[in-house]
Amino acid sequence: MTVSDVARDLASRDPDNSEGDPWRPVAALLTEWQDATSAQRQAMLNDPPPPTGDRRWDAVVVALAEHLALHGELQLPGWVQDACIELVPAWFPVNTPEARLDALRYAPASFACRGVFLDRRALERA
């Protein structure tokens, strides 16, 4: 599983079908990430992802790659630096008052700077 695979999976989803968890490919990537070597992790990030068809998810994919690279002490792929995505208005994937407050407090910087606000613990649970 790579970041590009996550984007392809998200792009293949039917936007009119609410079934299925769009976070599933993110969770799959994070699961594989845990057991990967540094070289494997770098390879998981290197290929630029295709557009998902939804700017919110495009922002998630770019933020995820940046977050993983920075926390894994890996080289930031050039495509991440070139991806200028900032959501206005901001997007709160979990949009309850309590979740919004936690997201504002604890969103990883890679996500917050792109306007995606989720509690960093969501990445641990994904």
Side-chain angles (χ1 to χ4, degrees), residues 4-26:
S4 290
D5 294 334
V6 170
R8 275 190 285 283
D9 185 287
L10 291 166
S12 71
R13 294 179 178 274
D14 179 358
D16 296 326
N17 182 357
S18 62
E19 290 186 29
D21 181 1
W23 290 98
R24 184 167 293 167
V26 174

mmCIF file with all atom_site columns, all heavy atoms in Angstrom, residues 4-26:
data_model
loop_
_atom_site.group_PDB
_atom_site.id
_atom_site.type_symbol
_atom_site.label_atom_id
_atom_site.label_alt_id
_atom_site.label_comp_id
_atom_site.label_asym_id
_atom_site.label_entity_id
_atom_site.label_seq_id
_atom_site.pdbx_PDB_ins_code
_atom_site.Cartn_x
_atom_site.Cartn_y
_atom_site.Cartn_z
_atom_site.occupancy
_atom_site.B_iso_or_equiv
_atom_site.pdbx_formal_charge
_atom_site.auth_seq_id
_atom_site.auth_comp_id
_atom_site.auth_asym_id
_atom_site.auth_atom_id
_atom_site.pdbx_PDB_model_num
ATOM 1   N N   . SER A 1 4  ? -0.125  6.704  -3.115 1.00 0.00 ? 4  SER A N   1
ATOM 2   C CA  . SER A 1 4  ? -0.810  6.710  -4.415 1.00 0.00 ? 4  SER A CA  1
ATOM 3   C C   . SER A 1 4  ? -1.949  5.693  -4.441 1.00 0.00 ? 4  SER A C   1
ATOM 4   O O   . SER A 1 4  ? -3.003  5.958  -5.022 1.00 0.00 ? 4  SER A O   1
ATOM 5   C CB  . SER A 1 4  ? 0.175   6.424  -5.546 1.00 0.00 ? 4  SER A CB  1
ATOM 6   O OG  . SER A 1 4  ? 1.042   7.506  -5.703 1.00 0.00 ? 4  SER A OG  1
ATOM 7   N N   . ASP A 1 5  ? -1.730  4.542  -3.816 1.00 0.00 ? 5  ASP A N   1
ATOM 8   C CA  . ASP A 1 5  ? -2.798  3.534  -3.733 1.00 0.00 ? 5  ASP A CA  1
ATOM 9   C C   . ASP A 1 5  ? -3.991  4.075  -2.945 1.00 0.00 ? 5  ASP A C   1
ATOM 10  O O   . ASP A 1 5  ? -5.147  3.819  -3.297 1.00 0.00 ? 5  ASP A O   1
ATOM 11  C CB  . ASP A 1 5  ? -2.296  2.257  -3.062 1.00 0.00 ? 5  ASP A CB  1
ATOM 12  C CG  . ASP A 1 5  ? -1.250  1.525  -3.873 1.00 0.00 ? 5  ASP A CG  1
ATOM 13  O OD1 . ASP A 1 5  ? -1.235  1.660  -5.119 1.00 0.00 ? 5  ASP A OD1 1
ATOM 14  O OD2 . ASP A 1 5  ? -0.428  0.814  -3.256 1.00 0.00 ? 5  ASP A OD2 1
ATOM 15  N N   . VAL A 1 6  ? -3.718  4.802  -1.879 1.00 0.00 ? 6  VAL A N   1
ATOM 16  C CA  . VAL A 1 6  ? -4.794  5.408  -1.080 1.00 0.00 ? 6  VAL A CA  1
ATOM 17  C C   . VAL A 1 6  ? -5.612  6.342  -1.965 1.00 0.00 ? 6  VAL A C   1
ATOM 18  O O   . VAL A 1 6  ? -6.847  6.281  -1.988 1.00 0.00 ? 6  VAL A O   1
ATOM 19  C CB  . VAL A 1 6  ? -4.222  6.161  0.144  1.00 0.00 ? 6  VAL A CB  1
ATOM 20  C CG1 . VAL A 1 6  ? -5.312  6.999  0.829  1.00 0.00 ? 6  VAL A CG1 1
ATOM 21  C CG2 . VAL A 1 6  ? -3.588  5.203  1.126  1.00 0.00 ? 6  VAL A CG2 1
ATOM 22  N N   . ALA A 1 7  ? -4.929  7.195  -2.725 1.00 0.00 ? 7  ALA A N   1
ATOM 23  C CA  . ALA A 1 7  ? -5.631  8.143  -3.595 1.00 0.00 ? 7  ALA A CA  1
ATOM 24  C C   . ALA A 1 7  ? -6.437  7.413  -4.657 1.00 0.00 ? 7  ALA A C   1
ATOM 25  O O   . ALA A 1 7  ? -7.579  7.790  -4.955 1.00 0.00 ? 7  ALA A O   1
ATOM 26  C CB  . ALA A 1 7  ? -4.634  9.097  -4.242 1.00 0.00 ? 7  ALA A CB  1
ATOM 27  N N   . ARG A 1 8  ? -5.861  6.365  -5.253 1.00 0.00 ? 8  ARG A N   1
ATOM 28  C CA  . ARG A 1 8  ? -6.595  5.600  -6.283 1.00 0.00 ? 8  ARG A CA  1
ATOM 29  C C   . ARG A 1 8  ? -7.841  4.948  -5.681 1.00 0.00 ? 8  ARG A C   1
ATOM 30  O O   . ARG A 1 8  ? -8.898  4.930  -6.297 1.00 0.00 ? 8  ARG A O   1
ATOM 31  C CB  . ARG A 1 8  ? -5.692  4.552  -6.915 1.00 0.00 ? 8  ARG A CB  1
ATOM 32  C CG  . ARG A 1 8  ? -4.848  5.088  -8.049 1.00 0.00 ? 8  ARG A CG  1
ATOM 33  C CD  . ARG A 1 8  ? -4.154  3.981  -8.815 1.00 0.00 ? 8  ARG A CD  1
ATOM 34  N NE  . ARG A 1 8  ? -3.036  3.418  -8.092 1.00 0.00 ? 8  ARG A NE  1
ATOM 35  C CZ  . ARG A 1 8  ? -1.848  4.011  -7.980 1.00 0.00 ? 8  ARG A CZ  1
ATOM 36  N NH1 . ARG A 1 8  ? -1.628  5.174  -8.543 1.00 0.00 ? 8  ARG A NH1 1
ATOM 37  N NH2 . ARG A 1 8  ? -0.884  3.422  -7.306 1.00 0.00 ? 8  ARG A NH2 1
ATOM 38  N N   . ASP A 1 9  ? -7.713  4.408  -4.482 1.00 0.00 ? 9  ASP A N   1
ATOM 39  C CA  . ASP A 1 9  ? -8.866  3.795  -3.818 1.00 0.00 ? 9  ASP A CA  1
ATOM 40  C C   . ASP A 1 9  ? -9.946  4.843  -3.574 1.00 0.00 ? 9  ASP A C   1
ATOM 41  O O   . ASP A 1 9  ? -11.126 4.607  -3.844 1.00 0.00 ? 9  ASP A O   1
ATOM 42  C CB  . ASP A 1 9  ? -8.438  3.143  -2.506 1.00 0.00 ? 9  ASP A CB  1
ATOM 43  C CG  . ASP A 1 9  ? -9.568  2.391  -1.838 1.00 0.00 ? 9  ASP A CG  1
ATOM 44  O OD1 . ASP A 1 9  ? -10.474 3.060  -1.292 1.00 0.00 ? 9  ASP A OD1 1
ATOM 45  O OD2 . ASP A 1 9  ? -9.557  1.151  -1.857 1.00 0.00 ? 9  ASP A OD2 1
ATOM 46  N N   . LEU A 1 10 ? -9.549  6.011  -3.081 1.00 0.00 ? 10 LEU A N   1
ATOM 47  C CA  . LEU A 1 10 ? -10.521 7.082  -2.825 1.00 0.00 ? 10 LEU A CA  1
ATOM 48  C C   . LEU A 1 10 ? -11.163 7.559  -4.128 1.00 0.00 ? 10 LEU A C   1
ATOM 49  O O   . LEU A 1 10 ? -12.359 7.845  -4.159 1.00 0.00 ? 10 LEU A O   1
ATOM 50  C CB  . LEU A 1 10 ? -9.847  8.238  -2.098 1.00 0.00 ? 10 LEU A CB  1
ATOM 51  C CG  . LEU A 1 10 ? -9.422  7.941  -0.662 1.00 0.00 ? 10 LEU A CG  1
ATOM 52  C CD1 . LEU A 1 10 ? -8.477  9.012  -0.154 1.00 0.00 ? 10 LEU A CD1 1
ATOM 53  C CD2 . LEU A 1 10 ? -10.636 7.806  0.238  1.00 0.00 ? 10 LEU A CD2 1
ATOM 54  N N   . ALA A 1 11 ? -10.383 7.630  -5.193 1.00 0.00 ? 11 ALA A N   1
ATOM 55  C CA  . ALA A 1 11 ? -10.909 8.082  -6.489 1.00 0.00 ? 11 ALA A CA  1
ATOM 56  C C   . ALA A 1 11 ? -11.902 7.090  -7.075 1.00 0.00 ? 11 ALA A C   1
ATOM 57  O O   . ALA A 1 11 ? -12.813 7.480  -7.808 1.00 0.00 ? 11 ALA A O   1
ATOM 58  C CB  . ALA A 1 11 ? -9.761  8.312  -7.470 1.00 0.00 ? 11 ALA A CB  1
ATOM 59  N N   . SER A 1 12 ? -11.742 5.820  -6.744 1.00 0.00 ? 12 SER A N   1
ATOM 60  C CA  . SER A 1 12 ? -12.619 4.792  -7.321 1.00 0.00 ? 12 SER A CA  1
ATOM 61  C C   . SER A 1 12 ? -13.951 4.669  -6.597 1.00 0.00 ? 12 SER A C   1
ATOM 62  O O   . SER A 1 12 ? -14.842 3.963  -7.055 1.00 0.00 ? 12 SER A O   1
ATOM 63  C CB  . SER A 1 12 ? -11.902 3.440  -7.309 1.00 0.00 ? 12 SER A CB  1
ATOM 64  O OG  . SER A 1 12 ? -11.781 2.949  -5.986 1.00 0.00 ? 12 SER A OG  1
ATOM 65  N N   . ARG A 1 13 ? -14.093 5.355  -5.501 1.00 0.00 ? 13 ARG A N   1
ATOM 66  C CA  . ARG A 1 13 ? -15.346 5.263  -4.733 1.00 0.00 ? 13 ARG A CA  1
ATOM 67  C C   . ARG A 1 13 ? -16.464 6.035  -5.416 1.00 0.00 ? 13 ARG A C   1
ATOM 68  O O   . ARG A 1 13 ? -16.247 7.102  -5.969 1.00 0.00 ? 13 ARG A O   1
ATOM 69  C CB  . ARG A 1 13 ? -15.147 5.794  -3.317 1.00 0.00 ? 13 ARG A CB  1
ATOM 70  C CG  . ARG A 1 13 ? -14.210 4.937  -2.523 1.00 0.00 ? 13 ARG A CG  1
ATOM 71  C CD  . ARG A 1 13 ? -13.996 5.489  -1.128 1.00 0.00 ? 13 ARG A CD  1
ATOM 72  N NE  . ARG A 1 13 ? -13.118 4.605  -0.404 1.00 0.00 ? 13 ARG A NE  1
ATOM 73  C CZ  . ARG A 1 13 ? -13.533 3.526  0.271  1.00 0.00 ? 13 ARG A CZ  1
ATOM 74  N NH1 . ARG A 1 13 ? -14.802 3.250  0.334  1.00 0.00 ? 13 ARG A NH1 1
ATOM 75  N NH2 . ARG A 1 13 ? -12.674 2.766  0.896  1.00 0.00 ? 13 ARG A NH2 1
ATOM 76  N N   . ASP A 1 14 ? -17.656 5.501  -5.312 1.00 0.00 ? 14 ASP A N   1
ATOM 77  C CA  . ASP A 1 14 ? -18.843 6.155  -5.854 1.00 0.00 ? 14 ASP A CA  1
ATOM 78  C C   . ASP A 1 14 ? -19.277 7.241  -4.879 1.00 0.00 ? 14 ASP A C   1
ATOM 79  O O   . ASP A 1 14 ? -19.652 6.939  -3.742 1.00 0.00 ? 14 ASP A O   1
ATOM 80  C CB  . ASP A 1 14 ? -19.953 5.121  -6.037 1.00 0.00 ? 14 ASP A CB  1
ATOM 81  C CG  . ASP A 1 14 ? -21.237 5.715  -6.586 1.00 0.00 ? 14 ASP A CG  1
ATOM 82  O OD1 . ASP A 1 14 ? -21.306 6.942  -6.793 1.00 0.00 ? 14 ASP A OD1 1
ATOM 83  O OD2 . ASP A 1 14 ? -22.178 4.943  -6.811 1.00 0.00 ? 14 ASP A OD2 1
ATOM 84  N N   . PRO A 1 15 ? -19.219 8.533  -5.285 1.00 0.00 ? 15 PRO A N   1
ATOM 85  C CA  . PRO A 1 15 ? -19.571 9.609  -4.346 1.00 0.00 ? 15 PRO A CA  1
ATOM 86  C C   . PRO A 1 15 ? -21.023 9.573  -3.903 1.00 0.00 ? 15 PRO A C   1
ATOM 87  O O   . PRO A 1 15 ? -21.369 10.127 -2.866 1.00 0.00 ? 15 PRO A O   1
ATOM 88  C CB  . PRO A 1 15 ? -19.263 10.889 -5.128 1.00 0.00 ? 15 PRO A CB  1
ATOM 89  C CG  . PRO A 1 15 ? -19.249 10.476 -6.556 1.00 0.00 ? 15 PRO A CG  1
ATOM 90  C CD  . PRO A 1 15 ? -18.860 9.021  -6.594 1.00 0.00 ? 15 PRO A CD  1
ATOM 91  N N   . ASP A 1 16 ? -21.885 8.907  -4.676 1.00 0.00 ? 16 ASP A N   1
ATOM 92  C CA  . ASP A 1 16 ? -23.301 8.827  -4.308 1.00 0.00 ? 16 ASP A CA  1
ATOM 93  C C   . ASP A 1 16 ? -23.598 7.645  -3.393 1.00 0.00 ? 16 ASP A C   1
ATOM 94  O O   . ASP A 1 16 ? -24.699 7.492  -2.913 1.00 0.00 ? 16 ASP A O   1
ATOM 95  C CB  . ASP A 1 16 ? -24.169 8.733  -5.566 1.00 0.00 ? 16 ASP A CB  1
ATOM 96  C CG  . ASP A 1 16 ? -24.060 9.990  -6.410 1.00 0.00 ? 16 ASP A CG  1
ATOM 97  O OD1 . ASP A 1 16 ? -23.910 11.086 -5.823 1.00 0.00 ? 16 ASP A OD1 1
ATOM 98  O OD2 . ASP A 1 16 ? -24.100 9.875  -7.644 1.00 0.00 ? 16 ASP A OD2 1
ATOM 99  N N   . ASN A 1 17 ? -22.595 6.798  -3.186 1.00 0.00 ? 17 ASN A N   1
ATOM 100 C CA  . ASN A 1 17 ? -22.778 5.633  -2.333 1.00 0.00 ? 17 ASN A CA  1
ATOM 101 C C   . ASN A 1 17 ? -22.078 5.898  -1.005 1.00 0.00 ? 17 ASN A C   1
ATOM 102 O O   . ASN A 1 17 ? -20.864 5.979  -0.944 1.00 0.00 ? 17 ASN A O   1
ATOM 103 C CB  . ASN A 1 17 ? -22.178 4.396  -3.027 1.00 0.00 ? 17 ASN A CB  1
ATOM 104 C CG  . ASN A 1 17 ? -22.376 3.130  -2.217 1.00 0.00 ? 17 ASN A CG  1
ATOM 105 O OD1 . ASN A 1 17 ? -22.908 3.154  -1.119 1.00 0.00 ? 17 ASN A OD1 1
ATOM 106 N ND2 . ASN A 1 17 ? -21.928 2.027  -2.768 1.00 0.00 ? 17 ASN A ND2 1
ATOM 107 N N   . SER A 1 18 ? -22.842 6.024  0.036  1.00 0.00 ? 18 SER A N   1
ATOM 108 C CA  . SER A 1 18 ? -22.263 6.343  1.338  1.00 0.00 ? 18 SER A CA  1
ATOM 109 C C   . SER A 1 18 ? -21.746 5.101  2.060  1.00 0.00 ? 18 SER A C   1
ATOM 110 O O   . SER A 1 18 ? -21.217 5.202  3.159  1.00 0.00 ? 18 SER A O   1
ATOM 111 C CB  . SER A 1 18 ? -23.295 7.060  2.207  1.00 0.00 ? 18 SER A CB  1
ATOM 112 O OG  . SER A 1 18 ? -24.400 6.207  2.422  1.00 0.00 ? 18 SER A OG  1
ATOM 113 N N   . GLU A 1 19 ? -21.906 3.925  1.450  1.00 0.00 ? 19 GLU A N   1
ATOM 114 C CA  . GLU A 1 19 ? -21.425 2.707  2.097  1.00 0.00 ? 19 GLU A CA  1
ATOM 115 C C   . GLU A 1 19 ? -19.908 2.626  1.996  1.00 0.00 ? 19 GLU A C   1
ATOM 116 O O   . GLU A 1 19 ? -19.298 3.116  1.063  1.00 0.00 ? 19 GLU A O   1
ATOM 117 C CB  . GLU A 1 19 ? -22.060 1.480  1.444  1.00 0.00 ? 19 GLU A CB  1
ATOM 118 C CG  . GLU A 1 19 ? -23.532 1.359  1.750  1.00 0.00 ? 19 GLU A CG  1
ATOM 119 C CD  . GLU A 1 19 ? -24.106 0.061  1.224  1.00 0.00 ? 19 GLU A CD  1
ATOM 120 O OE1 . GLU A 1 19 ? -23.372 -0.919 1.138  1.00 0.00 ? 19 GLU A OE1 1
ATOM 121 O OE2 . GLU A 1 19 ? -25.292 0.065  0.897  1.00 0.00 ? 19 GLU A OE2 1
ATOM 122 N N   . GLY A 1 20 ? -19.326 1.987  2.945  1.00 0.00 ? 20 GLY A N   1
ATOM 123 C CA  . GLY A 1 20 ? -17.877 1.840  2.954  1.00 0.00 ? 20 GLY A CA  1
ATOM 124 C C   . GLY A 1 20 ? -17.222 3.007  3.666  1.00 0.00 ? 20 GLY A C   1
ATOM 125 O O   . GLY A 1 20 ? -17.694 4.130  3.611  1.00 0.00 ? 20 GLY A O   1
ATOM 126 N N   . ASP A 1 21 ? -16.166 2.708  4.322  1.00 0.00 ? 21 ASP A N   1
ATOM 127 C CA  . ASP A 1 21 ? -15.455 3.711  5.096  1.00 0.00 ? 21 ASP A CA  1
ATOM 128 C C   . ASP A 1 21 ? -14.335 4.298  4.253  1.00 0.00 ? 21 ASP A C   1
ATOM 129 O O   . ASP A 1 21 ? -13.394 3.595  3.898  1.00 0.00 ? 21 ASP A O   1
ATOM 130 C CB  . ASP A 1 21 ? -14.889 3.052  6.354  1.00 0.00 ? 21 ASP A CB  1
ATOM 131 C CG  . ASP A 1 21 ? -14.149 4.012  7.251  1.00 0.00 ? 21 ASP A CG  1
ATOM 132 O OD1 . ASP A 1 21 ? -14.075 5.220  6.936  1.00 0.00 ? 21 ASP A OD1 1
ATOM 133 O OD2 . ASP A 1 21 ? -13.637 3.547  8.286  1.00 0.00 ? 21 ASP A OD2 1
ATOM 134 N N   . PRO A 1 22 ? -14.406 5.592  3.918  1.00 0.00 ? 22 PRO A N   1
ATOM 135 C CA  . PRO A 1 22 ? -13.345 6.175  3.107  1.00 0.00 ? 22 PRO A CA  1
ATOM 136 C C   . PRO A 1 22 ? -12.004 6.227  3.834  1.00 0.00 ? 22 PRO A C   1
ATOM 137 O O   . PRO A 1 22 ? -10.961 6.398  3.202  1.00 0.00 ? 22 PRO A O   1
ATOM 138 C CB  . PRO A 1 22 ? -13.857 7.582  2.791  1.00 0.00 ? 22 PRO A CB  1
ATOM 139 C CG  . PRO A 1 22 ? -14.854 7.877  3.851  1.00 0.00 ? 22 PRO A CG  1
ATOM 140 C CD  . PRO A 1 22 ? -15.449 6.559  4.250  1.00 0.00 ? 22 PRO A CD  1
ATOM 141 N N   . TRP A 1 23 ? -12.016 6.049  5.140  1.00 0.00 ? 23 TRP A N   1
ATOM 142 C CA  . TRP A 1 23 ? -10.767 6.049  5.898  1.00 0.00 ? 23 TRP A CA  1
ATOM 143 C C   . TRP A 1 23 ? -10.077 4.689  5.850  1.00 0.00 ? 23 TRP A C   1
ATOM 144 O O   . TRP A 1 23 ? -8.936  4.552  6.284  1.00 0.00 ? 23 TRP A O   1
ATOM 145 C CB  . TRP A 1 23 ? -11.021 6.464  7.344  1.00 0.00 ? 23 TRP A CB  1
ATOM 146 C CG  . TRP A 1 23 ? -11.374 7.913  7.441  1.00 0.00 ? 23 TRP A CG  1
ATOM 147 C CD1 . TRP A 1 23 ? -12.635 8.450  7.529  1.00 0.00 ? 23 TRP A CD1 1
ATOM 148 C CD2 . TRP A 1 23 ? -10.475 9.020  7.416  1.00 0.00 ? 23 TRP A CD2 1
ATOM 149 N NE1 . TRP A 1 23 ? -12.561 9.814  7.558  1.00 0.00 ? 23 TRP A NE1 1
ATOM 150 C CE2 . TRP A 1 23 ? -11.247 10.197 7.495  1.00 0.00 ? 23 TRP A CE2 1
ATOM 151 C CE3 . TRP A 1 23 ? -9.096  9.135  7.336  1.00 0.00 ? 23 TRP A CE3 1
ATOM 152 C CZ2 . TRP A 1 23 ? -10.676 11.458 7.501  1.00 0.00 ? 23 TRP A CZ2 1
ATOM 153 C CZ3 . TRP A 1 23 ? -8.516  10.403 7.339  1.00 0.00 ? 23 TRP A CZ3 1
ATOM 154 C CH2 . TRP A 1 23 ? -9.311  11.547 7.422  1.00 0.00 ? 23 TRP A CH2 1
ATOM 155 N N   . ARG A 1 24 ? -10.745 3.684  5.301  1.00 0.00 ? 24 ARG A N   1
ATOM 156 C CA  . ARG A 1 24 ? -10.172 2.332  5.269  1.00 0.00 ? 24 ARG A CA  1
ATOM 157 C C   . ARG A 1 24 ? -8.815  2.282  4.555  1.00 0.00 ? 24 ARG A C   1
ATOM 158 O O   . ARG A 1 24 ? -7.883  1.675  5.073  1.00 0.00 ? 24 ARG A O   1
ATOM 159 C CB  . ARG A 1 24 ? -11.153 1.360  4.635  1.00 0.00 ? 24 ARG A CB  1
ATOM 160 C CG  . ARG A 1 24 ? -10.632 -0.082 4.680  1.00 0.00 ? 24 ARG A CG  1
ATOM 161 C CD  . ARG A 1 24 ? -11.692 -1.053 4.359  1.00 0.00 ? 24 ARG A CD  1
ATOM 162 N NE  . ARG A 1 24 ? -12.651 -0.968 5.455  1.00 0.00 ? 24 ARG A NE  1
ATOM 163 C CZ  . ARG A 1 24 ? -13.850 -1.500 5.432  1.00 0.00 ? 24 ARG A CZ  1
ATOM 164 N NH1 . ARG A 1 24 ? -14.257 -2.147 4.392  1.00 0.00 ? 24 ARG A NH1 1
ATOM 165 N NH2 . ARG A 1 24 ? -14.666 -1.383 6.459  1.00 0.00 ? 24 ARG A NH2 1
ATOM 166 N N   . PRO A 1 25 ? -8.649  2.907  3.379  1.00 0.00 ? 25 PRO A N   1
ATOM 167 C CA  . PRO A 1 25 ? -7.320  2.845  2.751  1.00 0.00 ? 25 PRO A CA  1
ATOM 168 C C   . PRO A 1 25 ? -6.251  3.581  3.563  1.00 0.00 ? 25 PRO A C   1
ATOM 169 O O   . PRO A 1 25 ? -5.083  3.181  3.568  1.00 0.00 ? 25 PRO A O   1
ATOM 170 C CB  . PRO A 1 25 ? -7.521  3.474  1.374  1.00 0.00 ? 25 PRO A CB  1
ATOM 171 C CG  . PRO A 1 25 ? -8.795  4.235  1.458  1.00 0.00 ? 25 PRO A CG  1
ATOM 172 C CD  . PRO A 1 25 ? -9.627  3.559  2.511  1.00 0.00 ? 25 PRO A CD  1
ATOM 173 N N   . VAL A 1 26 ? -6.643  4.633  4.264  1.00 0.00 ? 26 VAL A N   1
ATOM 174 C CA  . VAL A 1 26 ? -5.694  5.335  5.137  1.00 0.00 ? 26 VAL A CA  1
ATOM 175 C C   . VAL A 1 26 ? -5.256  4.390  6.255  1.00 0.00 ? 26 VAL A C   1
ATOM 176 O O   . VAL A 1 26 ? -4.062  4.274  6.555  1.00 0.00 ? 26 VAL A O   1
ATOM 177 C CB  . VAL A 1 26 ? -6.308  6.629  5.705  1.00 0.00 ? 26 VAL A CB  1
ATOM 178 C CG1 . VAL A 1 26 ? -5.385  7.275  6.724  1.00 0.00 ? 26 VAL A CG1 1
ATOM 179 C CG2 . VAL A 1 26 ? -6.648  7.602  4.582  1.00 0.00 ? 26 VAL A CG2 1
#
